[in-house]
Amino acid sequence: RGRANDPRKMLFCNTCQEGYIMPHRGRLCPKTAEENTGAAVKCPICNFQVISIARGDGYEGNGYNLCPKCYADPPPEHGGTRNGGNFPCFSCSHPTCALAGGIQGGEVEVFSCPFCRERRVQGGKILLRKNTRGYVLSCANYSARQRCSFTIWLPRASQSITVDDNICSRCSTEGAVRKISFVWKPGGVPPHLGRESTVCILCDARFRQEVQIDMPQMNQVGSTSRQRNGNGNGHRRDATN
């Protein structure tokens, strides 16, 4: 329940008399196993049944999942903040849950979103995520009302990718720009190129060219769809600015 101009949805348990605020946009549906068993898909953290958010009721995205308990009370050990609220499954870094799309350190801002800055939209920050297609840098506003489309798909030959503690001094003029560390899959990198790379995605054009990473442009992507380019397989050794 809520104000007429700000509708709220809530899941309420009559047994324990607990209520959980849900996103006010999208159709809510209990998630069940894809097999014909109809078994409930449960969160491995709190054992709540997962809720699927589908297109409708003002939401036009491709859908996502959330755990009612984690959404309202994000677990800090899996990437949640102590501020509470707005913690869908794609932000979670639980190591064994197939729905978790976040990674350890995924809440760290790599750099501010240039698309959101150009449109003067607040909250635009680029985060490192992982899904079934691999690692990706995307804007935190993608799932919000703004539907920001800034996306950089990272090479699939990466065994792991993390946000480095080092700041790029060349690019950090309007805010901190953190470097990205890559560990390449065994056998996927020629011996003379090494196994690891730590680079600034924004200013190391040579690295982007070698691993075929495409930078999105505002005149090439719409505000409601992501650019699906940049799944390169090239590699290189550590680069410095």
Side-chain angles (χ1 to χ4, degrees):
R1 295 181 178 181
R3 297 176 298 180
N5 61 348
D6 187 21
R8 297 289 180 180
K9 296 177 181 178
M10 174 181 290
L11 293 181
F12 188 80
C13 177
N14 287 323
T15 302
C16 58
Q17 295 293 298
E18 290 279 353
Y20 300 91
I21 296 294
M22 295 287 98
H24 68 279
R25 296 177 183 271
R27 294 188 298 106
L28 278 62
C29 180
K31 187 172 183 61
T32 57
E34 295 182 359
E35 298 81 3
N36 295 325
T37 61
V41 176
K42 294 187 177 182
C43 172
I45 300 173
C46 55
N47 206 37
F48 274 60
Q49 183 171 6
V50 174
I51 300 297
S52 292
I53 310 299
R55 183 175 300 179
D57 291 345
Y59 171 65
E60 299 180 355
N62 295 323
Y64 59 97
N65 303 298
L66 61 84
C67 163
K69 178 67 166 59
C70 293
Y71 187 79
D73 185 19
E77 66 274 21
H78 297 299
T81 64
R82 300 186 183 276
N83 297 329
N86 195 19
F87 189 74
C89 292
F90 62 73
S91 295
C92 182
S93 62
H94 192 278
T96 64
C97 181
L99 300 178
I103 60 174
Q104 293 292 342
E107 71 278 3
V108 177
E109 179 178 336
V110 182
F111 53 88
S112 63
C113 178
F115 284 13
C116 290
R117 185 168 62 243
E118 179 71 19
R119 300 197 309 267
R120 298 182 180 179
V121 174
Q122 295 183 347
K125 56 182 180 180
I126 304 304
L127 306 174
L128 178 62
R129 300 296 188 197
K130 184 180 182 182
N131 59 25
T132 56
R133 294 186 58 192
Y135 290 92
V136 60
L137 293 172
S138 61
C139 182
N141 278 338
Y142 171 69
S143 60
R145 181 180 303 176
Q146 294 83 9
R147 298 288 292 165
C148 180
S149 59
F150 188 97
T151 303
I152 302 175
W153 290 99
L154 301 174
R156 291 185 177 182
S158 305
Q159 177 174 297
S160 66
I161 303 178
T162 56
V163 181
D164 197 78
D165 292 333
N166 292 319
I167 303 296
C168 176
S169 58
R170 181 185 303 175
C171 296
S172 300
T173 56
E174 299 184 16
V177 175
R178 290 177 171 82
K179 295 183 178 182
I180 302 295
S181 293
F182 298 80
V183 176
W184 308 116
K185 295 178 181 178
V189 178
H192 67 279
L193 294 180
R195 285 289 311 277
E196 300 181 8
S197 304
T198 299
V199 301
C200 172
I201 290 294
L202 294 184
C203 68
D204 197 329
R206 179 184 174 189
F207 176 82
R208 297 200 308 267
Q209 182 178 14
E210 290 182 356
V211 299
Q212 302 176 33
I213 293 177
D214 292 336
M215 298 294 287
Q217 303 295 326
M218 289 194 68
N219 61 349
Q220 295 178 349
V221 294
S223 59
T224 59
S225 62
R226 286 189 172 185
Q227 186 171 338
R228 302 283 185 176
N229 298 323
N231 293 326
N233 293 316
H235 322 281
R236 65 159 291 171
R237 57 180 172 270
D238 289 356
T240 57
N241 294 326

